[in-house]
Amino acid sequence: MAILEAIQTVYLEATAVASVTFEDLDDYSYDHLQLRMSVKTTNTADDVVMGEMRFGDEDGISTAGYTTQRMYGENTTEAAAIDEATDAARWYVMATSKAGVTAADYSANILNIFDYQSTVKNVTWTMLGGVDSAATGGYAAFQGGIWVKPTLAKPMTQFYVSNTNLARGSEFSLYGIQD
């Protein structure tokens, strides 16, 4: 039976926060990580806002080697996309700023990071997210990706999620999963 244990929760008290970082992950002996997010941005654009993640090891955060695949839909529109060899793992749906969405409308996202401490595997992840998008209905996305580590022999020890406009009240809860 798998065990799920809370590690850390970050609740934003300020607005327009650029990123949330989780460090010293090598202090834990979990097989996998899960990050549950309730997020809103202060963006004023009339569309869905992407977030990004970067992973790192003892040498720091990496800006290379990310590939992301996603399927997403809003009301009656659906699509799929792939981003290959990019500088970050980009994901939907961090939040929406469409007219009519109130301050109480936060997106819900669950990120799973598999085998993050492996020294023989690259880091893989999946995420499920959704948010209200006002007049057009809800928005949902399923995505996953890989970070090809610069040095495979080093485990992942840190990561961050970002958007330059993270709003007050956004919450990030990190859990460890032991098989």
Side-chain angles (χ1 to χ4, degrees):
M1 174 164 52
I3 298 170
L4 181 71
E5 293 182 348
I7 297 174
Q8 180 181 3
T9 295
V10 176
Y11 179 84
L12 299 184
E13 293 287 346
T15 291
V17 174
S19 65
V20 174
T21 302
F22 295 92
E23 299 176 297
D24 300 323
L25 300 175
D26 53 338
D27 290 349
Y28 307 107
S29 59
Y30 300 108
D31 295 322
H32 317 290
L33 297 173
Q34 184 176 87
L35 183 64
R36 298 177 186 182
M37 298 173 273
S38 174
V39 184
K40 185 162 182 72
T41 73
T42 58
N43 257 1
T44 57
D46 193 27
D47 61 5
V48 174
V49 178
M50 292 182 78
E52 72 178 29
M53 300 179 293
R54 287 197 172 116
F55 305 111
D57 58 24
E58 62 192 33
D59 294 329
I61 295 290
S62 177
T63 57
Y66 300 93
T67 297
T68 303
Q69 298 175 338
R70 65 183 151 273
M71 298 177 290
Y72 51 96
E74 181 177 22
N75 199 9
T76 60
T77 304
E78 70 283 333
I82 185 169
D83 298 326
E84 296 181 279
T86 60
D87 65 346
R90 291 183 178 80
W91 51 275
Y92 288 137
V93 55
M94 176 167 274
T96 185
S97 339
K98 290 213 180 250
V101 175
T102 69
D105 292 329
Y106 287 75
S107 67
N109 299 276
I110 299 175
L111 165 68
N112 295 299
I113 302 172
F114 303 102
D115 300 315
Y116 75 100
Q117 289 197 22
S118 177
T119 57
V120 296
K121 298 178 187 176
N122 289 304
V123 174
T124 58
W125 60 274
T126 62
M127 184 184 295
L128 178 64
V131 70
D132 177 20
S133 59
T136 60
Y139 192 99
F142 178 76
Q143 52 238 313
I146 187 170
W147 170 47
V148 178
K149 294 191 271 186
T151 306
L152 194 56
K154 294 181 180 179
M156 182 183 121
T157 62
Q158 57 186 316
F159 76 98
Y160 75 82
V161 294
S162 70
N163 177 290
T164 56
N165 299 305
L166 295 173
R168 183 179 192 278
S170 295
E171 187 172 307
F172 303 81
S173 296
L174 184 64
Y175 295 85
I177 301 172
Q178 189 68 45
D179 287 338

